[in-house]
Amino acid sequence: MQDQTAIEAKLKSYVLEEFLQGEDPNELQPSTELMTTGILDSIGTLKLVTFLENEFGVQLEPHETDAEYLNTVGDIARLVVSKRGS
């Protein structure tokens, strides 16, 4: 079972590759807002949810696909940890 730090690292790599190509990796912090700043749009959110379900073996509920749960890498990692623990 991966810890939150390992999950955040995997998420950061994914976000940089999929949504922030060419950006400085040091700029993407666990607290960087992804949804409320427009980095993640509706299509990007669908791609992210698919990645989370495939990569981490979790099933997200419809209400877990909004900014309350998926706005930052830290938020997303906490959600994955909580889903894996249940």
Side-chain angles (χ1 to χ4, degrees):
M1 173 110 23
Q2 295 170 312
D3 67 359
Q4 183 161 332
T5 305
I7 292 169
E8 283 181 6
K10 222 174 235 193
L11 285 167
K12 182 174 177 176
S13 293
Y14 175 77
V15 170
L16 286 167
E17 183 179 310
E18 285 293 321
F19 308 110
L20 296 172
Q21 289 182 350
E23 295 293 323
D24 181 355
N26 296 319
E27 293 293 315
L28 180 58
Q29 299 298 316
S31 60
T32 301
E33 295 181 350
L34 303 173
M35 293 183 99
T36 55
T37 59
I39 294 169
L40 272 182
D41 59 11
S42 57
I43 300 297
T45 301
L46 287 173
K47 289 172 75 173
L48 174 66
V49 168
T50 300
F51 169 78
L52 295 174
E53 292 181 344
N54 292 335
E55 184 69 28
F56 300 109
V58 296
Q59 185 71 41
L60 272 62
E61 301 298 325
H63 73 275
E64 295 171 327
T65 61
D66 63 14
E68 181 180 348
Y69 294 93
L70 304 179
N71 196 38
T72 70
V73 169
D75 292 340
I76 299 164
R78 280 187 292 280
L79 176 63
V80 169
V81 168
S82 74
K83 298 293 272 182
R84 293 176 104 189
S86 58

